[in-house]
Amino acid sequence: MANNVHDFKVVLVGEGCVGKTSLILRYIENTFNSNHITTVQASFLKKKLNIDGQRVNLAIWDTAGQEQFHALGPLYYRNSNGAVLVYDITDASSFPKVKVWVKELRKMLGNDVCLVIVGNKTDLEKERHVSLEEAEQYSEAVGAIHFQTSAKLDEGVEDVFLGLTNKMLEQAAKQHSRNETLERQGSQRRNVIIVDDEDTPPPASTRQCCSHF
Ligand SMILES: Nc1nc2c(ncn2[C@@H]2O[C@H](COP(=O)(O)OP(=O)(O)OP(=O)(O)O)[C@@H](O)[C@H]2O)c(=O)[nH]1
């Protein structure tokens, strides 16, 4: 496994205006734009990482958060290894939307998809409307790591993608050993000799031979 290159697909989801595009642009290009430009279709950016000698290629997909684009979701999150579910700490309605996404992703992608939940805009702490305790408790309950970020001030952004990548590497290692076990069991099964029952008719070739007499 050590020298393998891992290709991971990561998708960012969450309500409109929570800062999904801003988190990606901060992480990949180290830029921040204070204007909100509504994402209308998904696009992806690439990032290469090297973690303890393991090479990782991330394809990070930005999706549209506005409700009218929600139906497009499955097209973009299909085959994702990981998802970043973003809410805005100043927007109370953005947190329940994360819960809806957790259910949808677990239903569509199963338990193997790695989830992180991110409370963005911590530079606006004074306007906080989502309790940190509630967000942490919920994240733990659904098996997701919780992070807080400010895309504006570049706080915690790198940790989100590093934390998620480590989780996806663990998941890939688990999957690899599961596959090895299945392969081993498969080859053991192929070695089993099947002993015919006494009542089983003889093979076709023998019967053909006997019919000449
Ligand atoms: N104060 C503050 N503003 C932020 C932060 N991150 C994003 N914003 C602002 O929030 C607004 C929305 O950011 P986007 O990144 O466009 O949000 P989005 O989730 O991609 O929005 P959709 O494309 O509609 O889904 C913009 O005006 C950003 O400048 C942050 O950490 N702090």
Side-chain angles (χ1 to χ4, degrees):
M1 288 285 283
N3 294 321
N4 275 1
V5 178
H6 298 271
D7 291 306
F8 292 141
K9 176 177 173 183
V10 169
V11 69
L12 269 83
V13 294
E15 200 169 67
C17 217
V18 293
K20 299 179 293 297
T21 305
S22 302
L23 285 167
I24 297 176
L25 292 180
R26 172 59 81 192
Y27 181 55
I28 300 203
E29 295 175 357
N30 200 16
T31 56
F32 179 76
N33 183 344
S34 55
N35 299 317
H36 174 215
I37 300 152
T38 306
T39 308
V40 292
Q41 59 181 42
S43 58
F44 75 94
L45 289 173
K46 290 179 177 180
K47 177 91 175 176
K48 283 181 191 291
L49 295 173
N50 192 319
I51 297 181
D52 299 330
Q54 301 198 79
R55 283 182 293 152
V56 177
N57 296 325
L58 295 183
I60 305 174
W61 285 75
D62 188 10
T63 64
Q66 305 291 327
E67 201 55 55
Q68 68 262 38
F69 304 118
H70 189 107
L72 295 174
L75 282 177
Y76 301 117
Y77 60 67
R78 200 171 45 190
N79 299 327
S80 293
N81 302 91
V84 180
L85 300 98
V86 188
Y87 67 93
D88 171 351
I89 66 157
T90 72
D91 175 2
S93 73
S94 67
F95 190 65
K97 193 69 196 284
V98 163
K99 297 183 179 180
V100 173
W101 274 112
V102 167
K103 280 198 195 114
E104 180 155 344
L105 293 177
R106 286 273 182 241
K107 190 170 115 198
M108 305 300 284
L109 302 174
N111 281 331
D112 285 351
V113 65
C114 300
L115 304 182
V116 298
I117 294 176
V118 175
N120 187 39
K121 307 194 188 180
T122 51
D123 53 287
L124 301 175
E125 182 62 42
K126 286 194 188 110
E127 296 164 43
R128 178 186 280 277
H129 282 103
V130 179
S131 126
L132 174 60
E133 201 187 358
E134 184 198 344
E136 284 180 340
Q137 274 174 8
Y138 172 76
S139 303
E140 201 187 333
V142 295
I145 317 177
H146 183 262
F147 291 93
Q148 294 205 98
T149 55
S150 167
K152 185 175 181 174
L153 302 182
D154 190 13
E155 285 173 359
V157 180
E158 185 121 24
D159 295 346
V160 169
F161 292 96
L162 203 59
L164 180 59
T165 304
N166 277 322
K167 226 175 149 177
M168 291 188 296
L169 283 171
E170 274 172 33
Q171 191 60 40
K174 265 192 224 160
Q175 187 62 50
H176 182 76
S177 68
R178 270 205 299 252
N179 290 346
E180 273 188 343
T181 310
L182 284 175
E183 252 169 50
R184 221 177 306 122
Q185 284 171 347
S187 64
Q188 276 167 1
R189 240 175 254 136
R190 280 196 292 279
N191 290 337
V192 172
I193 298 162
I194 298 167
V195 180
D196 275 348
D197 223 13
E198 274 178 16
D199 294 339
T200 313
S205 58
T206 325
R207 270 181 280 145
Q208 258 174 15
C209 166
C210 292
S211 68
H212 291 304
F213 295 104

